[in-house]
Amino acid sequence: MSIGVWFGVVLGVLSCACYTAAAVAQRRLAVAVPGPLTGRRPLAALLGHPLWWGSAVLNGGRAAFQVGALAFAPLTVVQPLGVLVLVFGLPWSARLAGRRVAPREWRGALLTVLALAVLLAVAVTDGRSRPMGPGVSAAVAGGTAALLAALAWAAGRVPSAAWRSHLLAAAAGIAFGVSSATAKTAIAAAGTDGAAALFHPAAAGTALVAAAGLLLAQAAYQGAELGAPLGVTTLANPLAASVVGVAFMGETYSGGLPGAGVAVLCGLLAAYGIALLATPFRPGRTRTYHPTPPLSGARGR
């Protein structure tokens, strides 16, 4: 590989590190503000906590490194690096929680990483793309916002805490994937239109969808361990970006019919891995961890 590609790989690994740190910060925040984010008081407590703003900065760094990585290395090299967040995140989160990673979680992480790596290898596009026009960008952002709202509505009505976390994590992954596509369009618009690109629908759409993704990811960690929601988000993110690339940016799916069959099998294997990662959260598991006491907005619930 050329020096430029290796530089892209380094930026991709840094993006994964930022993403992992952001996820761990959001998981710790879920312990400090444990209630569901469905009312003003818990939401105000969330937005007033330093960990929230720290995770927002880290997610911004993740996005910046990801864009830089794609500028130097092809999608086929950068996208598979996303599976590293599971490898980084599980031991990091467990260490902060004062426990060891369970063998079941390691097995789930290994299966999910292998499935995602193969899935991305067969499902990537050819790398050629064009930016979306203003009308298409607005439609993609608006349609994504509607889909995220529908998933959040469904998540609030399922009786299972695990499925609620999965739905919210899937919505967060979709938001991150689509925002990557709209960000790529906004950057292309900036290269041709300069400061006028700030008024391009892709710029506003990126901000809207990315902010929704942060809130959805945070809600997915409420009452769940790190592994399962992080695995679902890691799966949904590149798939959503690929769908937008193929449908609206002129990219071509390179897997063909055999690749589609492999993708289905990998999806099933990843789902089983995520099921192994779905260790129910029990407060007693974190007794050696001493988070910031619940804020006033999180009391009395």
Side-chain angles (χ1 to χ4, degrees):
M1 290 191 295
S2 67
I3 295 178
V5 173
W6 278 112
F7 187 60
V9 169
V10 172
L11 292 176
V13 173
L14 290 174
S15 176
C16 292
C18 284
Y19 187 17
T20 304
V24 171
Q26 288 183 287
R27 179 65 192 90
R28 293 181 66 190
L29 182 55
V31 175
V33 186
L37 306 178
T38 54
R40 287 186 189 175
R41 295 179 65 191
L43 189 58
L46 174 72
L47 297 178
H49 202 290
L51 280 174
W52 166 256
W53 298 107
S55 68
V57 170
L58 288 167
N59 272 301
R62 171 197 65 83
F65 282 128
Q66 180 79 356
V67 171
L70 290 172
F72 288 96
L75 188 68
T76 52
V77 174
V78 176
Q79 284 287 64
L81 296 175
V83 301
L84 292 175
V85 297
L86 279 173
V87 179
F88 294 161
L90 279 179
W92 192 350
S93 179
R95 175 75 174 176
L96 291 174
R99 68 176 183 88
R100 293 183 178 180
V101 180
R104 171 190 174 99
E105 293 175 287
W106 278 125
R107 290 195 300 271
L110 178 61
L111 286 174
T112 305
V113 165
L114 290 176
L116 285 174
V118 176
L119 179 63
L120 290 171
V122 301
V124 295
T125 61
D126 58 8
R128 293 175 294 179
S129 65
R130 61 176 183 271
M132 295 179 284
V136 174
S137 297
V140 168
T144 302
L147 176 60
L148 298 182
L151 288 172
W153 180 87
R157 282 155 181 78
V158 295
S160 168
W163 277 106
R164 180 165 59 250
S165 176
H166 293 348
L167 285 172
L168 291 169
I174 292 171
F176 293 146
V178 173
S179 65
S180 294
T182 55
K184 190 172 183 178
T185 294
I187 291 170
T192 57
D193 302 332
L198 292 174
F199 301 99
H200 195 287
T206 299
L208 172 67
V209 174
L214 283 177
L215 286 170
L216 288 164
Q218 181 61 54
Y221 295 127
Q222 305 297 117
E225 292 286 0
L226 181 74
L230 190 58
V232 173
T233 301
T234 305
L235 175 65
N237 185 335
L239 291 182
S242 296
V243 168
V244 174
V246 170
F248 302 108
M249 301 179 72
E251 297 187 1
T252 304
Y253 177 70
S254 61
L257 187 59
V262 173
V264 170
L265 292 177
C266 289
L268 294 174
L269 183 61
Y272 178 64
I274 290 169
L276 292 177
L277 287 169
T279 305
F281 170 67
R282 294 188 295 271
R285 294 166 66 97
T286 59
R287 57 184 177 274
T288 60
Y289 166 59
H290 303 288
T292 303
L295 305 180
S296 58
R299 292 177 184 151
R301 287 175 286 109

